[in-house]
Amino acid sequence: MAKQVPCGVRIAGCGSAVPDKRLTNADLAAMVDTSDEWICQRTGIRERRILDPDKGETQLWLATTGLRNALDDAGMAGSDLDLVIHASVTSEMACPSNACRIAAAVDAQPAGAFDIVAACCGFVYAMNVADSLVRTGRYRSIGVVGCDAMTTAVDPTDRSVAILFGDAAGAAILVRDDDLNRGCIHQTLNADGRTWPSLFIPRKPSDLPPDREDSGARMGTLRMDGREVYKFAVGKFREVIEDALTATGLGVDDISQFVCHQSNIRIIESAMDKIGLPPEKVYINIDRFGNSSAGSVGLCLDQLWKAGKINEGETIIMVAFGGGLTWSSSVWKV
Ligand code: UT7
């Protein structure tokens, strides 16, 4: 445990993991009543990566691989971590947390470990919480990993959701830094729990909202009112980005990358149009990876990081929205 001296926060390394197995729009069209054209036009997705249970791949494996990759990038070992935070809605068990098992897999004991459930906002929520904890001076280094294996929570015969989601993990290692101005310079964590029936994963029939006719899909699979979530997301993306710019006194020109949750290309493009974000500052990988929920923003962050598109001294904004409904922003001086 570090001395309780306030400090800044540095991203020491990033990592990610995706399974090798691809699920293309053509594969989906062979399974449900849909088409490559419909999926591309409505979502921008061409293919996603999915776990291969025949190879023994699990959500836990994916999250652990993402965090290991970030530790390697930082040149650190699991034993260097004071805390592991894992964000997911598809953790293997209710108890223990996946974070405990991920921490064990990277030999991080006795580092603390806990899970965050904030759906697609999970990685951004976790980065905000981790920054705040390091900033107090109580923790020197925290491993953050957002990971969802949404294909384990989606009914493959439900075309309204099966086409959207893929499996991925994104991770970052945060360490203390003497520069107090470094790290997260503005953050928001928000939710409106009254809207939860727009997106949820029921465990048992009594979890269903009273007025809801069940689609017949099995318990443990995602129910989503796509149109409601779409309307919410289009408004929130714009609002969250504009609020973050106002709060920090920064303009679009001051930001090197807007790292957005990959939900639907139309949602991202709508924010780009309304705020006037230049395409080179808004990373898009939804065409190749679909919507990977808590994995999405961390996967983008790592791909930008490894491509040398996020450099020391630059400012980036991460934004996400998701089940809850939740929404969150995180502005970082890297
Ligand atoms: O990460 C947070 C989680 N969720 C989201 O971000 C999801 C946000 N919502 C969306 O991205 C979009 O609402 C969807 C991609 C899910 C759906 O697109 P949409 O343009 O809102 O379609 P819709 O639900 O309004 O459906 C339009 C039509 C309907 O047919 P009718 O009633 O017009 O005859 C649907 O039955 O398209 C039909 N449809 C499909 N057709 C072919 C719905 N899903 C499909 C499909 N293939 N997969």
Side-chain angles (χ1 to χ4, degrees):
M1 182 98 30
K3 279 191 287 175
Q4 291 177 33
V5 179
C7 61
V9 181
R10 179 169 64 87
I11 298 175
C14 291
S16 62
V18 292
D20 288 337
K21 190 170 178 183
R22 290 176 155 82
L23 181 70
T24 65
N25 291 349
D27 296 333
L28 280 162
M31 291 156 61
V32 290
D33 181 13
T34 191
S35 65
D36 176 48
E37 191 191 3
W38 193 96
I39 301 172
C40 282
Q41 273 179 6
R42 303 282 179 136
T43 70
I45 302 170
R46 295 188 178 280
E47 62 177 33
R48 343 75 202 110
R49 301 298 184 91
I50 60 168
L51 292 180
D52 187 347
D54 292 341
K55 288 207 255 152
E57 293 175 353
T58 62
Q59 193 273 350
L60 183 62
W61 163 79
L62 196 59
T64 305
T65 308
L67 184 65
R68 273 210 183 99
N69 194 250
L71 282 166
D72 287 349
D73 187 51
M76 290 167 63
S79 54
D80 296 322
L81 296 176
D82 293 333
L83 193 61
V84 173
I85 305 179
H86 167 249
S88 184
V89 294
T90 50
S91 282
E92 309 275 331
M93 292 189 264
C95 180
S97 69
N98 257 21
C100 287
R101 297 170 75 197
I102 296 163
V106 300
D107 249 341
Q109 54 281 352
F114 64 89
D115 282 2
I116 283 181
V117 177
C120 305
C121 282
F123 183 78
V124 183
Y125 260 52
M127 289 290 278
N128 286 345
V129 170
D131 175 89
S132 303
L133 291 173
V134 173
R135 209 165 271 285
T136 62
R138 289 177 198 269
Y139 299 88
R140 280 167 314 189
S141 52
I142 301 183
V144 171
V145 55
C147 175
D148 268 312
M150 289 305 289
T151 53
T152 64
V154 159
D155 179 347
T157 65
D158 180 355
R159 70 176 183 173
S160 70
V161 286
I163 53 134
L164 272 183
F165 294 99
D167 304 336
I173 309 296
L174 308 188
V175 298
R176 57 176 296 142
D177 192 87
D178 291 337
D179 181 355
L180 281 161
N181 297 317
R182 199 167 187 186
C184 180
I185 56 172
H186 171 78
Q187 60 160 281
T188 55
L189 302 173
N190 288 107
D192 181 353
R194 296 170 301 180
T195 56
W196 72 265
S198 302
L199 206 170
F200 65 103
I201 303 175
R203 283 197 170 131
K204 50 191 186 308
S206 60
D207 288 339
L208 295 166
D211 59 341
R212 182 72 59 95
E213 266 186 44
D214 195 14
S215 63
R218 60 176 199 272
M219 289 294 121
T221 58
L222 182 77
R223 312 293 204 275
M224 183 179 75
D225 183 337
R227 280 183 209 188
E228 271 306 305
V229 179
Y230 186 90
K231 271 191 280 169
F232 163 83
V234 163
K236 275 294 172 233
F237 249 35
R238 177 186 187 172
E239 182 188 311
V240 161
I241 294 173
E242 286 180 340
D243 285 355
L245 292 174
T246 305
T248 52
L250 298 170
V252 169
D253 290 349
D254 300 313
I255 308 298
S256 68
Q257 288 293 332
F258 293 82
V259 190
C260 302
H261 169 46
Q262 306 288 301
S263 50
N264 180 323
I265 191 74
R266 292 187 294 148
I267 294 173
I268 302 173
E269 283 177 350
S270 149
M272 288 167 69
D273 277 357
K274 286 178 182 144
I275 310 171
L277 306 181
E280 66 277 11
K281 290 191 175 192
V282 183
Y283 185 64
I284 307 279
N285 67 12
I286 192 168
D287 52 329
R288 291 165 288 145
F289 301 102
N291 176 344
S292 55
S293 183
S296 151
V297 174
L299 177 64
C300 291
L301 182 71
D302 181 47
Q303 291 179 341
L304 284 163
W305 183 263
K306 301 269 168 63
K309 299 227 167 106
I310 296 178
N311 299 296
E312 190 170 339
E314 291 178 351
T315 305
I316 63 166
I317 298 186
M318 292 182 268
V319 287
F321 68 89
L325 295 172
T326 51
W327 61 102
S328 184
S329 66
S330 194
V331 184
W332 282 69
K333 181 92 187 300
V334 180

